[in-house]
Amino acid sequence: MIEAAPLLSVSGLGHDYDGIIACRHIAFDLWPGEVLGVVGESGSGKTTLLNALSARLIPTTGTVRYRTREQGMVEVYRLSEAERRMLMRTDWGFVHQNPREGLRMSVSAGANVGERLMAVGARHYGEIRAEAVRWLEQVEMDTGRIDDSPRTFSGGMLQRLQIARNLVTKPRLVFMDEPTGGLDVSVQARLLDLLRGLVGDLGLSAIIVTHDLAVARMLSHRLLVMWRGEVVETGLTDQVLDDPQHPYSQLLVSSVLTP
Amino acid sequence: MYVAVKGGERAILNSHKLLDEERRGDPRVPTLGLNQIEQQLGRAVDRVMTEGALYDRHLAALAIKQAQGDLVEAIFLLRAYRTTLPRFGYGVAIDTAAMAIRRRISATFKDLPGGQVLGATFDYTHRLLDFSLAGEHDSPPAAAVGPAPLDAAMPRVVDLLNLEGLIEEERPDPAKDRVSDLTREPLGFPAPRDMRLQNLARGDEGFLLGLGYSTQRGYGRNHPFAGEIRVGEVAVAFVPEELGFAIEIGEVTLTECQMINQFKGSKSHPPQFTRGYGLAFGHSERKTMAMALVDRALRGQELGEDGEAPAQDAEFVLYHSDNVEASGFVQHLKLPHYVDFQSELVMVRAMRAAQGEAAADD
Amino acid sequence: MTDESDTAGENGYNFAYLDEQTKRMIRRAILKAVAVPGYQVPFGSREMPLPYGWGTGGIQVTAALIGPDDVLKVIDQGADDTTNAVSIRRFFERTAAIATTTRTVEATIIQTRHRIPETPLAPGQILVYQVPQPEPLRRLVASEVETRTMHALEEYGVMHVRLYEDIARHGRIATAYDYPVKVNGRYVMAPSPIPKFDNPKMDRNPALQLFGAGREKRIYAVPPHTSVKSLDFDDHPFEIERWNESCALCGATETFLDEVLTDDAGGRLFVCSDSDYCHERRVVEDD
């Protein structure tokens, strides 16, 4: 499935907050259908990186280029604000660790899933609703809850709803920030299963930030290991996790995998 | 047959007469002179001038009389008058360092050049009703005058701190060729500081007091010290176009509050104190202190502080501070809303009917 | 509309209260508003001698437009004799000494709160709406910075989320007044709290429609013959209120009816909200 040209191409990316470096010298390509895991402990700069990649934070240096459906390769931070926001709500998705940040908690589950469709011009209530039902099924939610408020949902359901809300416009690239963080272990396992299935079935590309190496192993094809704002190791997931080269990666892997 | 209600015009005219009657009260009681209000209700006059944004004690007193002592109504009267006045231009920035001091206190230094000048204050009075004021006789003995005149130089506390670089320096924005003016242009966001200060100076004292208080109780805490409060007279100068140089056109009584706030600094800025500023016409300490707290809270973003508290939300504060706007809109609910209510009635009835039908079908 | 005379009204105030500088500023805002239909133009709204929320925006627009030859009609809830309409009409009689009327057909400027007259407007007439909240997105998004961005980028999905939610919950769109519209295919606009019954009258109306929000300091416009579409879904099209009753005074069945309680036992009847329209119908009947 992997095509010849990258979907996302990052070079020299860096960001600092008032002189304090959060991340720097980041460069990589993401290929269509590829899932890239970004691992590292908290404070390693991975969330800043994710925000800078996903047009949520203008980076101090470097470029992020994305292959759009219509215009081919574009530099994300050279796009007009309108184009960038359009990209963010159609061809991209963003799954927050806390689903409440990604959902509109005051409207029903159906409206949450339907919003992106309405934002791009869908004007048939019945069709929007049918599509919402379809996506609730896809994320294995009870479609009978379509008119319920998200406030009545459990953490795992909220995360499923957030995922459905993102996928409804059939994005090609989804950013995820600790998508299973804060969930019970059993709920986590089911959600991971679902995510892996969706990513495979839909041929999505994804960048997943996590501190949980089990999540990284289960979902991602390739890994970036971040330490003190820089990528210290990169490679195929199994290779990095089973045979880490950088001392920090070794520490990270041993500290987690040692029973 | 049904006849629709008429006669709004006559009712209004008569209501105005009734209002006037109520204002005057019992005609056997002497009418209130404007000089009495100016002289004996000075703090009310000060507030009306400040929030009415017009320095004229006489007109403020008139407004208070006409409004039957309802200060928000009096502020509205003064504003509505002010807006019709021709505008010749903008004055030269006043110099509060050159203020003729009546009162000047600092909570940050025990003593300082020029000294602490307590002046007239409610602060240390015991709030006991003084029943002697209820009588006709009201001639308090004169206060003692100090042996020496006040020092001519009364440097501002913040200027003293500034000598050491301990407090941020405040310079006018070089990119701005003129001061913002909310009475000519609408509020825009992000609002520059001069526009925010103008909004706060005109803002409702009670609203700002509550917001300022909330910052002290932890909603956007900013560690304030009352660096200095000074009250006194300041000269106002104006440059007439045809002259090209400044001439003094009068003086105004002002209260100024400089709040000094903690700032931990960042990698590019060494630790330094920051400022919150309050200024009002007349003797208005509560107002200026509250204003200074809120001004500082609104600078949170510029200083890199997390801004989740109401007092730090510029849109929230600035859009709701004006009591003429707020009072009008809250009270407009008294206007008829027959049509909107009728629409809602029709809607609610239709929805109830639909639900009833659905229930009957089940 | 015609030349201003320098004739000061009562008490030395300028003609129609506002000074000429201010009128010029407001006219510039109006021109911009007409040029960009539905776009909210910020303007330096002045304090008026009437309270904010009581029509200060409409009054400023009217004051900036009115000339000595104009004939003014003021309505509130459709009626000329409601207290606030009387108060505003008196304001202009006092400050501009212009002719006023209650007849829609005679008026050159009609200032309104919450209704559009039932009598169709003609080319050359101006309808001035009083607007409490000009921002149609405000109920959904509190921040002005955010709503201005949404307008600029034409990001209106959230409006339909609101309508979707209505249908999901109530089986229909439950907004009864201030029903959002799209002007000239571009800007989503608040029509002011007119009942949705009046929305269709805005579409391609030959009169100039101006909207003034004094407290919020915005002016916007719908130029003559401009398309105004009420937001809806293809399968839940916009519809207006209907009554089973007719007007108890003139028998009209096609007008917006006010409900009047006649006793405390549920007795009620319905009368036209537009007092002029109702009156004209009765005069014709009597002839």
Side-chain angles (χ1 to χ4, degrees):
Chain A
M1 275 296 284
I2 291 189
E3 293 170 33
L7 187 65
L8 189 78
S9 182
V10 180
S11 68
L13 195 70
H15 189 75
D16 64 74
Y17 296 101
D18 197 20
I20 299 163
I21 290 163
C23 65
R24 62 175 167 179
H25 308 320
I26 312 289
F28 66 87
D29 287 337
L30 180 76
W31 301 83
E34 186 183 30
V35 178
L36 180 71
V38 179
V39 295
E41 60 198 2
S42 66
S44 62
K46 53 192 197 306
T47 296
T48 299
L49 172 63
L50 191 72
N51 287 333
L53 292 174
S54 58
R56 304 166 67 82
L57 171 80
I58 296 172
T60 322
T61 57
T63 57
V64 177
R65 300 192 309 140
Y66 177 73
R67 190 148 56 84
T68 59
R69 291 178 209 248
E70 295 83 16
Q71 304 171 57
M73 215 62 175
V74 296
E75 215 173 286
V76 171
Y77 289 100
R78 290 254 173 101
L79 292 173
S80 68
E81 194 183 356
E83 292 172 313
R84 206 155 57 218
R85 283 169 73 129
M86 180 58 105
L87 189 64
M88 288 169 79
R89 63 169 192 258
T90 54
D91 217 19
W92 287 5
F94 194 104
V95 177
H96 297 261
Q97 173 174 3
N98 179 355
R100 287 170 187 83
E101 283 174 35
L103 292 169
R104 212 177 271 285
M105 295 302 287
S106 57
V107 301
S108 66
N112 265 289
V113 180
E115 177 166 354
R116 278 176 158 231
L117 295 173
M118 293 181 252
V120 295
R123 291 293 177 264
H124 191 284
Y125 175 82
E127 287 168 11
I128 293 165
R129 198 171 167 80
E131 194 69 355
V133 167
R134 205 171 76 74
W135 278 100
L136 290 181
E137 280 168 359
Q138 285 266 340
V139 297
E140 297 165 12
M141 282 180 70
D142 175 6
T143 56
R145 311 266 330 242
I146 186 167
D147 292 332
D148 291 353
S149 160
R151 294 190 209 283
T152 64
F153 289 5
S154 67
M157 284 170 71
L158 286 176
Q159 199 54 293
R160 285 161 197 273
L161 184 63
Q162 188 190 195
I163 291 163
R165 173 177 163 89
N166 270 283
L167 296 185
V168 69
T169 50
K170 303 187 179 68
R172 292 188 301 161
L173 173 58
V174 179
F175 301 93
M176 300 189 202
D177 186 9
E178 306 276 7
T180 59
L183 297 176
D184 293 344
V185 179
S186 63
V187 179
Q188 254 191 40
R190 283 189 56 203
L191 191 68
L192 277 175
D193 224 32
L194 171 75
L195 273 175
R196 190 160 67 164
L198 283 173
V199 166
D201 293 349
L202 302 170
L204 287 176
S205 303
I207 297 179
I208 300 174
V209 158
T210 179
H211 71 282
D212 186 338
L213 297 189
V215 170
R217 189 189 283 276
M218 186 146 175
L219 291 180
S220 52
H221 304 125
R222 204 150 56 94
L223 280 189
L224 298 183
V225 181
M226 286 193 74
W227 183 54
R228 295 187 177 173
E230 295 191 44
V231 173
V232 293
E233 183 161 355
T234 167
L236 296 176
T237 301
D238 291 345
Q239 184 190 322
V240 172
L241 293 183
D242 297 340
D243 183 19
Q245 300 299 309
H246 190 274
Y248 175 74
S249 313
Q250 290 165 355
L251 188 71
L252 194 69
V253 169
S254 65
S255 67
V256 172
L257 297 186
T258 312
Chain B
M1 190 184 129
Y2 172 75
V3 182
V5 193
K6 291 264 182 199
E9 182 143 15
R10 269 201 5 243
I12 289 177
L13 287 175
N14 225 12
S15 150
H16 292 172
K17 284 188 192 150
L18 202 55
L19 180 70
D20 232 22
E21 224 173 82
E22 281 192 3
R23 180 190 56 71
R24 180 60 183 86
D26 186 342
R28 288 168 301 181
V29 176
T31 186
L32 203 49
L34 295 193
N35 55 348
Q36 289 175 306
I37 297 173
E38 263 185 79
Q39 293 296 318
Q40 297 176 35
L41 297 177
R43 300 295 172 94
V45 169
D46 291 343
R47 179 171 176 196
V48 170
M49 292 197 303
T50 298
E51 293 170 36
L54 182 68
Y55 194 91
D56 189 318
R57 302 193 72 81
H58 198 67
L59 288 179
L62 174 60
I64 292 167
K65 178 175 179 176
Q66 188 180 330
Q68 306 182 32
D70 178 336
L71 296 190
V72 175
E73 183 66 27
I75 288 161
F76 182 15
L77 285 169
L78 207 58
R79 288 263 193 99
Y81 175 76
R82 175 197 198 274
T83 194
T84 65
L85 298 176
R87 174 160 312 225
F88 300 115
Y90 294 87
V92 178
I94 52 160
D95 179 12
T96 53
M99 177 184 276
I101 297 285
R102 286 201 221 176
R103 168 166 160 80
R104 183 258 202 142
I105 54 158
S106 169
T108 50
F109 295 101
K110 189 166 197 275
D111 201 3
L112 65 165
Q116 305 258 16
V117 182
L118 194 56
T121 175
F122 289 120
D123 289 350
Y124 305 102
T125 61
H126 295 146
R127 270 61 170 199
L128 302 171
L129 281 175
D130 179 355
F131 294 105
S132 73
L133 293 180
E136 294 285 311
H137 295 287
D138 182 12
S139 356
V145 179
L150 293 177
D151 286 3
M154 288 270 188
R156 287 176 298 206
V157 168
V158 287
D159 296 337
L160 299 172
L161 281 171
N162 202 11
L163 294 176
E164 269 186 84
L166 283 174
I167 195 160
E168 56 172 343
E169 236 186 304
E170 281 181 337
R171 293 203 197 82
D173 182 352
K176 288 193 73 157
D177 56 344
R178 60 182 188 87
V179 70
S180 304
D181 185 355
L182 281 173
T183 66
R184 302 283 117 172
E185 56 194 308
L187 198 56
F189 289 93
R193 184 149 178 233
D194 58 347
M195 194 177 248
R196 299 198 303 254
L197 286 170
Q198 186 191 10
N199 175 289
L200 297 178
R202 292 158 56 94
D204 183 77
E205 179 173 320
F207 180 73
L208 297 183
L209 182 66
L211 279 175
Y213 178 45
S214 73
T215 68
Q216 291 179 285
R217 288 195 65 259
Y219 291 82
R221 185 161 162 69
N222 53 35
H223 309 278
F225 297 94
E228 182 180 299
I229 293 160
R230 51 171 63 200
V231 184
E233 280 66 41
V234 174
V236 178
F238 181 74
V239 182
E241 237 175 82
E242 57 273 32
L243 289 183
F245 54 87
I247 51 166
E248 246 180 53
I249 54 172
E251 61 174 28
V252 294
T253 305
L254 294 177
T255 304
E256 181 185 58
C257 171
Q258 298 260 13
M259 217 46 105
I260 298 175
N261 303 75
Q262 210 184 76
F263 179 56
K264 285 196 273 300
S266 65
K267 201 152 193 182
S268 49
H269 295 89
Q272 225 180 9
F273 290 105
T274 55
R275 311 181 188 202
Y277 188 75
L279 186 76
F281 287 147
H283 194 161
S284 309
E285 288 178 39
R286 193 192 300 115
K287 164 70 186 260
T288 52
M289 293 181 76
M291 174 178 170
L293 289 175
V294 177
D295 169 48
R296 177 58 183 76
L298 290 177
R299 300 181 57 210
Q301 206 175 13
E302 153 204 350
L303 295 168
E305 298 166 345
D306 302 332
E308 301 283 307
Q312 294 170 315
D313 182 338
E315 280 201 37
F316 178 79
V317 173
L318 303 181
Y319 269 135
H320 303 111
S321 61
D322 191 292
N323 57 25
V324 177
E325 289 175 5
S327 164
F329 200 54
V330 166
Q331 298 204 60
H332 107 284
L333 294 173
K334 289 182 281 191
L335 288 180
H337 285 81
Y338 318 137
V339 167
D340 306 338
F341 188 69
Q342 185 64 40
S343 303
E344 294 265 279
L345 262 183
V346 171
M347 174 70 67
V348 170
R349 281 195 185 122
M351 289 194 301
R352 288 174 62 92
Q355 228 170 46
E357 277 165 30
D361 289 348
D362 287 346
Chain C
M1 304 258 297
T2 47
D3 299 352
E4 256 93 44
S5 61
D6 286 337
T7 50
E10 173 178 56
N11 297 332
Y13 282 113
N14 192 36
F15 178 82
Y17 183 75
L18 293 175
D19 60 280
E20 295 305 315
Q21 284 278 55
T22 299
K23 288 185 189 171
R24 207 164 303 146
M25 177 272 294
I26 295 172
R27 287 184 202 126
R28 273 197 291 265
I30 293 172
L31 286 175
K32 187 169 177 182
V34 169
V36 192
Y39 170 74
Q40 300 165 48
V41 183
F43 80 111
S45 175
R46 299 291 191 254
E47 263 107 1
M48 299 300 284
L50 282 79
Y52 283 119
W54 299 56
T56 53
I59 293 170
Q60 289 181 75
V61 169
T62 299
L65 295 175
I66 206 162
D69 301 332
D70 273 310
V71 179
L72 178 70
K73 172 182 165 79
V74 184
I75 51 173
D76 186 342
Q77 315 291 306
D80 299 87
D81 54 5
T82 35
T83 42
N84 201 46
V86 170
S87 163
I88 293 171
R89 190 164 56 240
R90 265 173 43 96
F91 175 77
F92 282 108
E93 282 166 355
R94 284 175 63 177
T95 59
I98 38 91
T100 58
T101 181
T102 58
R103 298 193 61 210
T104 300
V105 290
E106 282 174 2
T108 56
I109 299 177
I110 302 169
Q111 180 166 329
T112 178
R113 176 168 173 268
H114 297 194
R115 276 309 311 272
I116 299 175
E118 307 284 5
T119 308
L121 300 178
Q125 284 185 307
I126 300 178
L127 186 59
V128 178
Y129 296 76
Q130 300 171 198
V131 182
Q133 177 48 264
E135 180 49 74
L137 301 166
R138 183 62 72 239
R139 267 182 277 180
L140 305 158
V141 182
S143 159
E144 172 72 10
V145 173
E146 182 60 20
T147 50
R148 285 191 80 79
T149 308
M150 291 165 78
H151 282 294
L153 303 180
E154 224 179 323
E155 284 184 9
Y156 292 132
V158 68
M159 288 305 286
H160 273 88
V161 169
R162 187 178 128 197
L163 303 183
Y164 172 99
E165 208 48 16
D166 273 358
I167 300 172
R169 199 168 301 170
H170 309 296
R172 71 184 69 210
I173 297 170
T175 304
Y177 59 91
D178 210 352
Y179 189 107
V181 295
K182 195 164 205 179
V183 179
N184 203 26
R186 174 59 179 84
Y187 283 97
V188 167
M189 184 187 94
S192 86
I194 57 171
K196 64 179 181 173
F197 179 88
D198 284 341
N199 273 23
K201 297 181 194 162
M202 306 182 84
D203 186 35
R204 301 186 191 283
N205 196 306
L208 169 62
Q209 302 174 76
L210 299 175
F211 300 78
R215 190 178 42 80
E216 297 281 343
K217 300 164 183 64
R218 298 287 186 272
I219 286 172
Y220 51 101
V222 175
H225 308 291
T226 304
S227 104
V228 177
K229 228 188 123 351
S230 303
L231 300 184
D232 62 1
F233 286 105
D234 299 343
D235 49 343
H236 283 265
F238 171 82
E239 44 186 38
I240 61 174
E241 300 91 329
R242 305 226 173 269
W243 284 259
N244 297 322
E245 299 81 2
S246 56
C247 174
L249 296 179
C250 73
T253 53
E254 73 290 350
T255 59
F256 188 93
L257 297 176
D258 275 346
E259 186 169 336
V260 183
L261 304 182
T262 52
D263 55 40
D264 57 2
R268 55 172 187 254
L269 50 80
F270 292 82
V271 290
C272 288
S273 126
D274 184 335
S275 55
D276 167 62
Y277 183 81
C278 192
H279 177 76
E280 298 276 322
R281 275 177 55 94
R282 280 175 285 151
V283 170
V284 172
E285 270 170 28
D286 290 349
D287 286 349

